[in-house]
Amino acid sequence: SLKQYDKAIDIAKKLINSDPKKIEYKVMLADIQNAAGYKWEAVQTLKGIANDFPEYKTQVDQAIKQIQK
């Protein structure tokens, strides 16, 4: 249900706030947003990852293309 996704998104955001340098939390947030149907938000989260971690730009670009299909 969408409520469960919203709860999971809140948890992921709290984890990110507790450790902003941990890329895994941001990837998890993007995955949850995408699964919940929040495609625009997932793409924005991924763009933030590419901005914060330029070494992952290629993987992020591929993930964005998958979401936008």
Side-chain angles (χ1 to χ4, degrees):
S1 97
L2 206 50
K3 276 190 176 176
Q4 295 294 69
Y5 283 122
D6 289 340
K7 266 191 209 171
I9 287 169
D10 285 342
I11 291 167
K13 286 180 177 178
K14 285 178 184 163
L15 289 169
I16 290 167
N17 287 337
S18 73
D19 191 356
K21 296 280 182 224
K22 191 152 182 152
I23 189 172
E24 291 87 353
Y25 294 155
K26 294 180 183 190
V27 171
M28 179 176 64
L29 175 60
D31 284 343
I32 297 165
Q33 289 168 323
N34 187 39
Y38 301 137
K39 306 237 180 258
W40 185 86
E41 290 86 347
V43 169
Q44 296 311 305
T45 299
L46 289 169
K47 286 180 179 177
I49 292 170
N51 194 41
D52 295 342
F53 303 93
E55 63 272 26
Y56 293 106
K57 184 168 177 9
T58 303
Q59 294 96 315
V60 167
D61 287 345
Q62 289 172 344
I64 289 172
K65 282 181 190 159
Q66 289 288 13
I67 290 172
Q68 291 177 333
K69 275 187 178 177

